[in-house]
Amino acid sequence: MVGLDAELNRDDECDNVGLSCALEHFSEVEDVMNIIDNLKNIYNSPKSEVEYDRLYNILKQYYEQPHLLDPYLDKILAKFLALIKDKESPCELKHATFNYMYQIIRVRGYKVVVRHLPHEVSDLLTVLTFLEAQDPNDKETWRSRFVLLLWLSIVVIIPFHMSRLDGFAPDQPGAAGSSKKLTVMERILNICKLYACSKDSCAEASAYLASKFLIRSDVKEVYMGAFFDWACALHSNLKEEDTIYYGVLAAVAAVLKHGKRNDLLPYAPKLLKWVTDQNYKQHSAMLVRKYGVKIVQRIGLTFLRPRVASWRYTRGSRSLAVTLGGVAAAGDTEPMTSPPDDDDEDIPQEVEDVVELLLCSLRDDDTVVRWSAAKGVGRIGARLPALAAADVCEIVLTLFAENERDTAWHGGCMALAELARRGLLSPRQLGAAARCVVRALARDEARAGGAGGRAARDSACHAAWAFARAYDAHALAPHALTLANALAATACFDREINCRRAASAAYQENVGRHGMFPHGIDVLTTADFQSVGPRTNAYLVVAPQIASYPEYTQPLIDHIVDLKIEHWDYAIRELAAKALNKLTDKIPEYVATVVLPKLIAKTESIDLNVRHGAILGIGEAILALSQAKLADGRKAGSAISEEVWRAVRELVGRLRARQQFRGLGGELMRQACCRCVALLSRAAAPLHAHPHVIGT
């Protein structure tokens, strides 16, 4: 019991962090300004490290609310850039400035910060010269190169042909004494190639630079194909021990994302063959698999023309006032229909290969790869004809097989969410998808590396949330009660706090969008984000309140008996038994006639967890029955059959005869039986008398 109390206390303590920690504005802006102003005085002294840590400690408070920095970004960056552009500033000061500047980018994100950097024509050669002067192998100055690459990515968007900048000064590459003159475009391309092969964060910044540079109208015709050829040649015929540069893959993926379809289409077959031949989905490095999936899905999008599928399900108006008013929303559309010429469009053979690769990646070991594959399935499905998209949905549903790993269930739920969000799941397929989601919500097994099924349950909540946003009440009506009970049980009884809160959010979305869940407003106000956080509160306070509504009573009890009583976690089994005690008075006859025989049968299991939970559940259920009454006024204990009483009286003897009080599980069995006997004593359970005397 000490271990249980400690576990419950830790669970309660970790849930006290909430929205009350939110900040209102960037209150330390003056301190940051003073740190920057003081940098030129301390950059070469030990105090520089102290100030750097101070800046880090200030900014790390805003990781969750980085937008609070936005009003001050221009002023902060202007101070940094003044130090960098000052010709009198020594190299050490510039590197220190880039280090400080990196902290701003780290918090706010480079895609936002880069828009605030200066991007005049005069800045191009300045930044390019800075970059060319850097040592790519210097591990101490990588932040300088990272910031310069990002800065160059905004400067290269200048709306002038870059050939106008090809003036060769004596101190620049390509000067008169050189063997070959390099144009500005060649110099930038060389920078992209150089840092795409780096093994630090500069690879990501280089990919972003390549995506902005290679899609320029004056660059793409000359260098885009050459860059793709270089990337393919670099990673062709690799041996097992050879290095794959994920930065090169990231650059190719970024160019495919930002480039125009007509420009990319000539290179798509070659790139797909390259990715397929290299078999990136089997590579051990997560980043390689991640960018491989991104390349594959964007090649698939290149083969298919952009369009809004006319056959997709569209919900139409989504007014909360309409939902609460109980009338159909204007513009809601029924099943997806395909225009006569929609399915006549030829689908390139390469698209089938792309879809197959993406579906395989839904089983990947890493969440980020599965998530990218799920988004790819949704994006490509939106450009397919109706019949082909329906086939993709059917294949996704096959991932929910009992012999599939948890990763496949997780990837399948995310793919269903993406397909539903885009209206690609037909109402006919929605039923099968909803059943798969309900099964995923109940998936919870012990694993050596952690709780099996946790990710699947979390993504199943996301899929249920997506169903609410995508479909109207008419489409969801046949599945509303099943989804409501599954989400309510997860919100009350899941082991993980993130799953309980995700289920609460999905339940709330369904109530707000279509209002089909029984007693929806009352349940969601009971099982809100805060109340389901502490596990003990969710089990022993929230669940009994929800069980007071008859639509939820039996499903909640069945969930406890079928799943949580035999849970692999000791603390969950004890809480589940206590929760059964709290819920028994709602339908005592069902507990006496159905639940107790089921628990008796579980005591015969060879699984220690099942036996332990069943014994605890028997004691808690009988204690609750001794205090409850049936609908006709009789004591609830009178509904317990003589056969059940005989099994309860003989329970300890049977366990002893099977020698289950010995061995590794013996202590747990003895503890459970002692607890059960104590509960039976409190219930005044008859050991030799007629069962009707219970509670007297």
Side-chain angles (χ1 to χ4, degrees):
M1 292 299 293
V2 175
L4 173 62
D5 293 339
E7 174 69 22
L8 296 180
N9 289 337
R10 284 197 300 272
D11 188 80
D12 290 343
E13 289 172 1
C14 73
D15 298 324
N16 292 330
V17 179
L19 296 178
S20 59
C21 299
L23 301 171
E24 295 182 357
H25 63 281
F26 188 21
S27 57
E28 296 90 349
V29 61
E30 292 302 326
D31 292 337
V32 171
M33 294 295 184
N34 292 334
I35 291 173
I36 299 173
D37 290 336
N38 195 38
L39 179 58
K40 58 186 175 182
N41 301 323
I42 62 168
Y43 69 90
N44 56 355
S45 68
K47 193 175 180 182
S48 176
E49 292 294 332
V50 176
E51 289 291 277
Y52 182 83
D53 292 338
R54 183 183 167 208
L55 177 65
Y56 169 75
N57 290 326
I58 290 174
L59 294 176
K60 74 178 182 180
Q61 305 173 77
Y62 297 91
Y63 277 137
E64 299 297 327
Q65 298 171 276
H67 61 278
L68 296 178
L69 274 62
D70 288 354
Y72 311 98
L73 276 180
D74 288 330
K75 185 165 41 169
I76 293 173
L77 293 175
K79 285 186 174 293
F80 284 132
L81 294 171
L83 293 173
I84 293 170
K85 289 185 175 182
D86 187 356
K87 295 182 179 180
E88 303 298 325
S89 298
C91 289
E92 292 81 3
L93 175 57
K94 292 182 179 180
H95 285 310
T97 304
F98 283 126
N99 288 345
Y100 281 45
M101 197 172 174
Y102 172 79
Q103 291 298 340
I104 300 291
I105 296 175
R106 183 182 181 186
V107 173
R108 188 59 189 101
Y110 68 85
K111 292 183 180 179
V112 174
V113 175
V114 75
R115 296 198 297 264
H116 293 264
L117 294 174
H119 43 274
E120 301 293 334
V121 176
S122 58
D123 294 319
L124 179 59
L125 292 178
T126 302
V127 179
L128 186 56
T129 304
F130 275 166
L131 261 175
E132 290 172 335
Q134 301 297 312
D135 179 6
N137 298 317
D138 188 349
K139 297 181 180 180
E140 299 297 326
T141 60
W142 66 268
R143 295 183 184 87
S144 301
R145 302 191 294 275
F146 180 84
V147 176
L148 286 169
L149 286 167
L150 294 178
W151 190 359
L152 185 58
S153 68
I154 188 70
V155 178
V156 296
I157 305 179
I158 56 174
F160 302 105
H161 200 290
M162 284 196 175
S163 61
R164 299 182 181 181
L165 303 175
D166 290 330
F168 298 103
D171 59 341
Q172 291 178 343
S178 302
S179 59
K180 180 184 177 182
K181 294 183 178 181
L182 297 177
T183 64
V184 170
M185 287 190 286
E186 289 174 329
R187 292 163 64 188
I188 297 175
L189 181 64
N190 289 339
I191 289 291
C192 293
K193 291 180 179 180
L194 174 64
Y195 289 103
C197 297
S198 65
K199 297 180 180 180
D200 51 30
S201 297
C202 294
E204 182 181 3
S206 176
Y208 188 71
L209 169 61
S211 70
K212 300 298 182 183
F213 173 66
L214 291 174
I215 65 172
R216 285 178 55 98
S217 59
D218 56 343
V219 175
K220 61 187 179 185
E221 295 180 0
V222 182
Y223 294 113
M224 182 181 287
F227 183 81
F228 287 149
D229 291 341
W230 169 78
C232 293
L234 186 66
H235 288 157
S236 294
N237 303 319
L238 288 176
K239 298 179 181 179
E240 188 70 24
E241 65 275 8
D242 289 341
T243 301
I244 292 181
Y245 299 104
Y246 75 88
V248 176
L249 301 181
V252 173
V255 174
L256 289 171
K257 177 180 180 180
H258 295 284
K260 293 181 180 179
R261 177 174 179 263
N262 292 336
D263 299 331
L264 299 171
L265 197 55
Y267 311 109
K270 177 180 180 179
L271 290 174
L272 180 60
K273 184 178 185 303
W274 165 57
V275 175
T276 305
D277 291 346
Q278 296 306 316
N279 198 18
Y280 287 122
K281 67 178 184 294
Q282 301 296 335
H283 198 274
S284 59
M286 180 273 292
L287 286 174
V288 172
R289 300 197 306 276
K290 170 188 171 182
Y291 288 116
V293 168
K294 288 183 179 294
I295 291 173
V296 165
Q297 65 165 288
R298 287 163 187 168
I299 291 173
L301 294 174
T302 302
F303 282 117
L304 298 168
R305 61 181 177 85
R307 64 172 182 170
V308 177
S310 57
W311 49 264
R312 69 190 178 98
Y313 181 95
T314 54
R315 182 175 170 183
S317 174
R318 304 185 186 186
S319 169
L320 184 59
V322 171
T323 301
L324 296 177
V327 296
D332 283 355
T333 59
E334 243 326 293
M336 302 183 286
T337 57
S338 176
D341 61 341
D342 195 34
D343 285 331
D344 294 337
E345 180 184 349
D346 291 333
I347 304 175
Q349 175 63 36
E350 292 88 349
V351 174
E352 296 184 17
D353 299 334
V354 166
V355 173
E356 181 181 356
L357 288 170
L358 292 176
L359 292 173
C360 290
S361 295
L362 289 174
R363 297 181 172 92
D364 194 89
D365 290 335
D366 284 282
T367 300
V368 66
V369 180
R370 298 194 297 271
W371 183 230
S372 184
K375 288 189 287 187
V377 169
R379 289 165 179 159
I380 291 178
R383 297 189 183 185
L384 291 174
L387 295 178
D391 290 340
V392 171
C393 297
E394 291 295 334
I395 297 174
V396 170
L397 292 175
T398 62
L399 294 172
F400 297 91
E402 290 301 328
N403 59 348
E404 288 281 6
R405 297 190 305 160
D406 293 331
T407 55
W409 284 65
H410 179 238
C413 285
M414 289 193 293
L416 286 180
E418 288 296 313
L419 292 169
R421 193 168 65 87
R422 292 172 167 84
L424 307 180
L425 275 174
S426 68
R428 177 180 57 83
Q429 294 173 313
L430 182 59
R435 289 191 293 273
C436 290
V437 167
V438 170
R439 289 167 56 207
L441 287 171
R443 191 173 179 87
D444 190 2
E445 300 175 7
R447 290 287 186 273
R454 173 173 54 191
R457 298 195 305 275
D458 186 66
S459 61
C461 294
H462 174 54
W465 175 89
F467 292 164
R469 295 180 67 87
Y471 298 92
D472 62 9
H474 179 77
L476 281 171
H479 324 292
L481 185 59
T482 303
L483 280 173
N485 280 308
L487 290 173
T490 304
C492 292
F493 300 134
D494 200 279
R495 179 179 182 268
E496 311 298 335
I497 180 174
N498 64 302
C499 294
R500 295 196 298 273
R501 286 178 165 170
S504 174
Y507 189 101
Q508 178 179 347
E509 190 71 21
N510 277 270
V511 172
R513 293 285 177 177
H514 58 71
M516 295 295 296
F517 285 4
H519 308 284
I521 297 294
D522 295 330
V523 172
L524 73 86
T525 53
T526 300
D528 60 17
F529 180 87
Q530 296 294 341
S531 62
V532 300
R535 187 192 294 164
T536 307
N537 190 69
Y539 268 78
L540 305 182
V541 178
V542 175
Q545 293 181 36
I546 296 178
S548 63
Y549 304 109
E551 293 87 350
Y552 298 96
T553 310
Q554 183 176 328
L556 286 178
I557 291 178
D558 287 342
H559 185 89
I560 289 176
V561 175
D562 295 337
L563 298 174
K564 294 302 184 285
I565 280 288
E566 57 189 51
H567 197 273
W568 54 269
D569 188 338
Y570 172 93
I572 295 297
R573 297 198 297 273
E574 286 209 338
L575 268 178
K578 293 179 181 178
L580 179 60
N581 178 287
K582 297 281 188 180
L583 270 60
T584 295
D585 64 336
K586 306 296 189 294
I587 45 173
E589 186 171 359
Y590 178 78
V591 174
T593 58
V594 178
V595 172
L596 273 178
K598 190 181 294 186
L599 293 175
I600 294 294
K602 287 179 182 289
T603 61
E604 304 292 330
S605 173
I606 61 173
D607 190 327
L608 173 63
N609 295 335
V610 176
R611 293 198 309 273
H612 176 258
I615 294 171
L616 293 177
I618 290 170
E620 294 285 358
I622 291 178
L623 174 61
L625 288 171
S626 71
Q627 301 165 349
K629 292 186 177 182
L630 301 175
D632 57 7
R634 292 183 298 130
K635 290 184 178 297
S638 62
I640 303 176
S641 66
E642 177 60 31
E643 183 180 357
V644 170
W645 279 118
R646 185 182 305 110
V648 172
R649 289 195 293 267
E650 297 172 354
L651 178 59
V652 173
R654 291 200 308 273
L655 293 174
R656 181 180 290 112
R658 295 197 297 263
Q659 297 186 349
Q660 289 176 332
F661 288 139
R662 299 183 179 182
L664 294 177
E667 182 178 354
L668 205 58
M669 283 291 94
R670 295 193 299 272
Q671 179 187 6
C673 287
C674 290
R675 174 66 177 167
C676 184
V677 169
L679 294 170
L680 293 174
S681 301
R682 291 174 57 190
L687 297 182
H688 302 288
H690 192 275
H692 289 288
V693 302
I694 181 172
T696 59

